[in-house]
Amino acid sequence: MKILKNNTIPLILIMSLIMSISCTKDPSFQNENNDVEPKSLLYSYGDADMGEIHNSGLEYYYENRTQEIIPNNLNIFAEELLNINKVLYPEYFEDAELSLVIKVTEELFDKKDKNEFDYKETMLELNNKFRNQGDISVKLSILLEKFIKNNPSVNDAITEIEILRAENNLTLKDEENMDMFISILIASDKFWNNKKNDSINSKFWGCNPRHQVRFADAAGGIFGGMLGFTVAPGLGAIIGGAVGSQLMSGVVEEMQIQNGGDCI
């Protein structure tokens, strides 16, 4: 099975991927603030570790991409990620249809052209859309809107989610969405600390781009997961969430670099 045109998986890469996946399942890790997250915060979504899928797919993409920047046509980027995920996680992606993934991509970015993407505006619109449709509760939607606007740190975001959980009797949908969100958020923090994002400014005031890219990954995951049910019936939350988080991760990080290392 081909992943990318004229490209195969070398043995050494397979070994490195296995090592990377096993590291993702370590009981704890240090995040950008050198805090150690307890094992209880390493959430999964049902049988799928969404954070692991997010990191493994991006790891392969950055190790093997054939051009320096993400294609302007985001559907091409989505196809590349889908083909990678089909090889890494066939149990989830083997039967995934590209046409449905493209539907999710175009809805998630409100465009198929990377250069026309407005991150904050699109995220807020999606958040309102899912709240109005009843896919997320008003309380969770308010919290996500706060995250989109303020870009909290990983620790602060997790703390606020756990407070929301403790103080409210949340729906199963909300619980599942938060499990996916936290799994991807923690994994994204680990991925960007180890891999890239080192050219991004770390500010002590205003928007911190390091926080923004990590939240964008997690938001892309839960919004992509919901789109996997709504605009692409049959795709499902795991595939929509995985590709959505990987897409948003790469695009937002690249846009920050093009913006001089600042938030977008």
Side-chain angles (χ1 to χ4, degrees), residues 228-243:
F229 283 114
T230 56
V231 303
L235 195 65
I238 292 176
I239 298 171
V243 177

Side-chain angles (χ1 to χ4, degrees), residues 12 24 28 39 48 63 98 100 106 140 153 168 218 234 256 263:
I12 189 171
T24 305
S28 63
K39 186 176 181 180
E63 290 290 338
L98 175 60
L100 297 181
E106 294 183 352
L140 178 56
S153 69
N168 296 274
Q256 287 180 342
C263 288

Side-chain angles (χ1 to χ4, degrees), residues 32-33 151 200-211 259-264:
E32 62 173 327
N33 299 316
N151 301 291
I200 301 299
N201 298 327
S202 182
K203 294 185 174 181
F204 295 97
W205 63 89
C207 176
N208 187 318
R210 293 181 181 273
H211 298 167
N259 196 37
D262 291 328
C263 288
I264 56 173

Side-chain angles (χ1 to χ4, degrees), residues 21 24-25 41-56 85 88-93 175-184 187 235-243 245-246:
I21 290 171
T24 305
K25 296 182 178 180
L41 292 183
L42 298 181
Y43 291 95
S44 61
Y45 182 92
D47 294 329
D49 188 327
M50 299 302 295
E52 174 190 309
I53 295 173
H54 169 275
N55 284 16
S56 298
N85 288 320
L88 297 179
Y89 297 97
E91 66 271 32
Y92 300 121
F93 292 89
E175 291 287 358
E176 290 177 339
N177 283 327
M178 286 189 290
D179 282 350
M180 182 185 291
F181 181 92
I182 293 177
S183 176
I184 295 171
L235 195 65
I238 292 176
I239 298 171
V243 177
S245 67
Q246 292 166 348

Side-chain angles (χ1 to χ4, degrees), residues 63-74:
E63 290 290 338
N64 294 273
R65 65 178 178 176
T66 56
Q67 52 187 330
E68 285 301 311
I69 63 172
I70 292 168
N72 287 337
N73 186 333
L74 291 172

Side-chain angles (χ1 to χ4, degrees), residues 52-157:
E52 174 190 309
I53 295 173
H54 169 275
N55 284 16
S56 298
L58 284 180
E59 182 74 25
Y60 184 89
Y61 174 79
Y62 282 111
E63 290 290 338
N64 294 273
R65 65 178 178 176
T66 56
Q67 52 187 330
E68 285 301 311
I69 63 172
I70 292 168
N72 287 337
N73 186 333
L74 291 172
N75 292 340
I76 296 175
F77 185 29
E79 182 176 7
E80 291 176 342
L81 291 172
L82 176 60
N83 288 335
I84 289 169
N85 288 320
K86 280 177 179 282
V87 171
L88 297 179
Y89 297 97
E91 66 271 32
Y92 300 121
F93 292 89
E94 187 173 21
D95 297 324
E97 295 182 19
L98 175 60
S99 60
L100 297 181
V101 171
I102 286 175
K103 280 187 177 181
V104 169
T105 302
E106 294 183 352
E107 186 79 12
L108 185 62
F109 290 90
D110 192 33
K111 299 285 186 301
K112 68 177 181 181
D113 188 334
K114 179 184 66 178
N115 296 320
E116 297 178 3
F117 175 53
D118 186 318
Y119 164 73
K120 185 176 289 187
E121 179 182 332
T122 304
M123 290 295 98
L124 290 173
E125 287 177 354
L126 283 171
N127 185 45
N128 289 334
K129 172 183 177 178
F130 290 125
R131 176 174 60 196
N132 293 336
Q133 291 178 175
D135 295 309
I136 54 176
S137 68
V138 172
K139 290 181 179 179
L140 178 56
S141 177
I142 291 172
L143 183 60
L144 291 176
E145 181 176 332
K146 179 180 177 182
F147 289 168
I148 294 168
K149 292 179 177 179
N150 299 332
N151 301 291
S153 69
V154 172
N155 285 346
D156 287 347

